[in-house]
Amino acid sequence: MSEMKKIKNLKEFSTSADRFEGANLLCPGCAHSIIVREVLNATNDDMILSASTGCLEVCTAVYPYTSWDASWIHIGFENGSTAVAGAESMYKALKRKNRLKQPERNPKFVSFAGDGASYDIGFQWISGCMERGHNIMHVVLDNEVYANTGGQRSSSTPIGSSATTSPAGRVSYGEKKNKKDIVSIMAAHGIPYAAQVAPNKWKDMVKKIQHGFSVDGPVFINAVSPCTTEWKFDPKDTMNITDLATDSLVFPLYEIIDGHELNITYRPKNIVPVEEYLAAQGRFKHLFKDEYKYLIKEWQDRVDEKWAYLQRREESRV
Amino acid sequence: MAKKGWDEFEIGAMLRTFDGKIDDIAGTRQEDRAYSQNSSYTASVADWRLIKPVFNKDYCIDCQFCWIYCPDVSIISRDKKLIGVDMDHCKGCGICVEVCPTNPKSLLMFPEQADEETEIASWPKKDEEEA
């Protein structure tokens, strides 16, 4: 095990040399690259990365350019996690046979995927990786929609959101089904570490990533990634929206250790009403019409219920 | 690199980010790396920008919020000090200005054509109401 990078404060963190390059084709203000940078900068070790099809993949590997300074592979929509798991298995086998050319190096295996590639299409593959116990980290960049193909709903899209396949209009308020609780599903595999992170809480995020690198076994990270194009807000507001998401508890930050021990890692000092979070985004604009106002109350109740549940689970230590 | 036609692409292409051997990427600064022409570091998205951030170092407290929240690795920070904005890779999203905590802000957005020196000379004064 190599020495873990010490990051006490942001100034210290800022001495990291980025391994992700600019001039990628992600939209201005996209949170994907903020998350990727925070993950890559959390360690100084070599990285073996993959990305499933999605915004991150199509924007960072446009022939003849690549934005990655580490080994990176893309295969298909569903199998980013298994590609990295295969590399990890080979690494383990070579290590066992003492055939590694540079045994002093300790590569970290990370697969990045969007919510489409994790919640829907790659679900079975990720589940397989978690079950087989590969020493990998799967990071979900959760923007709650298939942003790359033009905003179709995914099973991460929350109730009331207007997506191109579930548009809001005269007869519908948009998406009718609630978001899947992916962190609990993955934690139920009994994996050593599953956590929910947000890029605005960089310290919490780096701590969780480093913990994820230090444990032996599969790690699942779900990161909220506001999408300026599909959530319909101004590019400069990315971090403000993320602040609203974490402070309104729509996106609570917690971790689940060994599949049962739940810890809440961020408790907002002032809890913001969910209404403010919804009002800041164009995709929820129609909820403020009189006939759909009841949905906002339902949203608030749902968020409160989830928060109460998380607190109960944290207290009971089960 | 010679341009290839649509039917001449290899199935499964491998791009090398660096020319030659590089051992310690995480310990090598961007200016010291030997990027190959396949790295997007050598490309530019400066023409995406309508407004650009201008950095005024007089007010900067080196909190590095802009560095961590920049999506395009365009805030250049060396030895815990902010030294400028990488105008080849900045897309002008304006996050750095939003997260800047100083009063007045040490980064502000101006139209792409604006002259940096004149803007810094006429930088807004401290906003008392907000403080």
Side-chain angles (χ1 to χ4, degrees):
Chain A
M1 202 81 225
S2 58
E3 190 88 348
M4 192 57 75
K5 186 171 171 180
K6 285 194 179 60
I7 301 162
K8 271 197 239 101
N9 51 39
L10 196 46
K11 280 194 185 185
E12 209 168 316
F13 197 27
S14 75
T15 56
S16 326
D18 273 296
R19 277 178 286 177
F20 184 74
E21 295 304 337
N24 51 58
L25 304 184
L26 291 162
C27 303
C30 181
H32 276 20
S33 42
I34 305 174
I35 297 165
V36 170
R37 284 185 60 213
E38 287 177 18
V39 172
L40 298 196
N41 283 335
T43 175
N44 276 336
D45 288 337
D46 295 288
M47 308 281 269
I48 292 170
L49 309 166
S50 83
S52 301
T53 306
C55 284
L56 184 72
E57 179 266 318
V58 297
C59 295
T60 55
V62 184
Y63 195 82
Y65 292 118
T66 171
S67 299
W68 303 86
D69 295 345
S71 313
W72 178 90
I73 190 171
H74 160 69
I75 301 174
F77 209 137
E78 65 290 335
N79 50 12
S81 48
T82 33
V84 160
E88 191 263 353
S89 300
M90 191 190 77
Y91 173 78
K92 261 192 200 157
L94 290 178
K95 196 173 185 178
R96 196 174 58 235
K97 294 175 184 166
N98 272 331
R99 277 168 57 193
L100 283 176
K101 285 189 179 146
Q102 292 170 307
E104 72 283 1
R105 288 185 151 186
N106 261 303
K108 302 280 183 272
F109 298 86
V110 182
S111 85
F112 291 102
D115 59 291
S118 309
Y119 283 67
D120 305 339
I121 298 176
F123 188 71
Q124 178 200 330
W125 280 258
I126 298 163
S127 182
C129 288
M130 302 289 151
E131 177 257 318
R132 290 191 296 270
H134 293 288
N135 196 4
I136 63 165
M137 177 184 285
H138 185 82
V139 181
V140 183
L141 308 155
D142 186 0
N143 54 14
E144 305 189 329
V145 79
Y146 283 89
N148 174 33
T149 46
Q152 290 82 6
R153 75 164 287 271
S154 74
S155 51
S156 165
T157 310
I159 293 184
S161 165
S162 179
T164 45
T165 47
S166 59
R170 205 152 33 82
V171 291
S172 168
Y173 55 78
E175 173 65 24
K176 290 200 170 54
K177 290 171 195 73
N178 202 5
K179 188 172 169 160
K180 203 189 240 177
D181 185 0
I182 193 97
V183 179
S184 298
I185 297 173
M186 288 303 158
H189 290 77
I191 57 173
Y193 197 64
Q196 199 147 255
V197 300
N200 60 336
K201 305 290 168 219
W202 66 270
K203 203 167 186 174
D204 173 74
M205 174 142 171
V206 167
K207 210 174 140 195
K208 284 173 179 168
I209 300 289
Q210 290 195 331
H211 183 84
F213 284 143
S214 70
V215 298
D216 189 28
V219 173
F220 185 83
I221 304 281
N222 193 33
V224 65
S225 176
C227 172
T228 69
T229 314
E230 299 302 337
W231 295 20
K232 300 189 178 67
F233 59 84
D234 210 45
K236 71 175 172 30
D237 290 328
T238 307
M239 293 334 284
N240 300 340
I241 299 279
T242 323
D243 283 341
L244 284 173
T246 49
D247 289 355
S248 66
L249 300 171
V250 170
F251 210 89
L253 304 184
Y254 59 94
E255 57 186 15
I256 303 177
I257 298 168
D258 293 332
H260 57 87
E261 190 187 329
L262 190 143
N263 298 316
I264 296 171
T265 54
Y266 172 66
R267 292 164 201 279
K269 280 197 191 93
N270 304 308
I271 296 177
V272 177
V274 174
E275 195 171 347
E276 272 181 47
Y277 169 73
L278 301 178
Q281 303 167 43
R283 61 174 177 159
F284 294 118
K285 198 174 63 191
H286 53 280
L287 295 187
F288 291 84
K289 284 181 189 160
D290 284 337
E291 63 262 43
Y292 295 142
K293 277 246 167 97
Y294 71 97
L295 284 164
I296 298 177
K297 203 186 157 297
E298 278 181 25
W299 253 95
Q300 184 69 57
D301 292 346
R302 209 160 43 239
V303 167
D304 291 346
E305 204 177 303
K306 172 87 188 185
W307 182 239
Y309 165 75
L310 289 176
Q311 282 175 320
R312 274 205 309 278
R313 249 192 92 172
E314 189 190 31
E315 267 171 42
S316 59
R317 316 301 298 158
V318 285
Chain B
M1 188 188 304
K3 286 254 183 217
K4 282 187 178 174
W6 66 271
D7 55 347
E8 290 170 320
F9 279 111
E10 302 161 49
I11 300 168
M14 190 173 90
L15 300 176
R16 289 182 185 278
T17 319
F18 303 106
D19 282 329
K21 198 166 173 248
I22 184 159
D23 259 338
D24 183 17
I25 308 166
T28 315
R29 286 267 158 223
Q30 286 179 314
E31 55 268 27
D32 302 328
R33 295 176 186 167
Y35 285 110
S36 78
Q37 54 187 349
N38 288 127
S39 171
S40 71
Y41 185 78
T42 59
S44 170
V45 285
D47 51 350
W48 289 30
R49 214 166 43 223
L50 296 173
I51 46 173
K52 66 174 178 185
V54 174
F55 170 54
N56 187 340
K57 68 174 187 308
D58 296 345
Y59 298 108
C60 183
I61 55 168
D62 295 310
C63 65
Q64 308 293 353
F65 282 163
C66 51
W67 174 82
I68 183 86
Y69 297 136
C70 176
D72 296 304
V73 209
S74 298
I75 304 286
I76 309 168
S77 184
R78 294 290 178 268
D79 299 327
K80 305 183 183 180
K81 292 265 183 290
L82 179 59
I83 57 172
V85 184
D86 177 354
M87 284 301 174
D88 283 339
H89 301 129
C90 173
K91 293 169 187 160
C93 63
I95 291 179
C96 49
V97 175
E98 277 297 303
V99 299
C100 184
T102 60
N103 186 8
K105 287 185 186 291
S106 35
L107 279 154
L108 283 174
M109 301 304 281
F110 291 101
E112 183 64 27
Q113 298 81 6
D115 179 50
E116 214 164 294
E117 278 169 25
T118 37
E119 297 299 351
I120 288 179
S122 60
W123 204 259
K125 291 281 168 282
K126 190 173 174 181
D127 188 353
E128 295 293 344
E129 275 174 43
E130 232 181 81

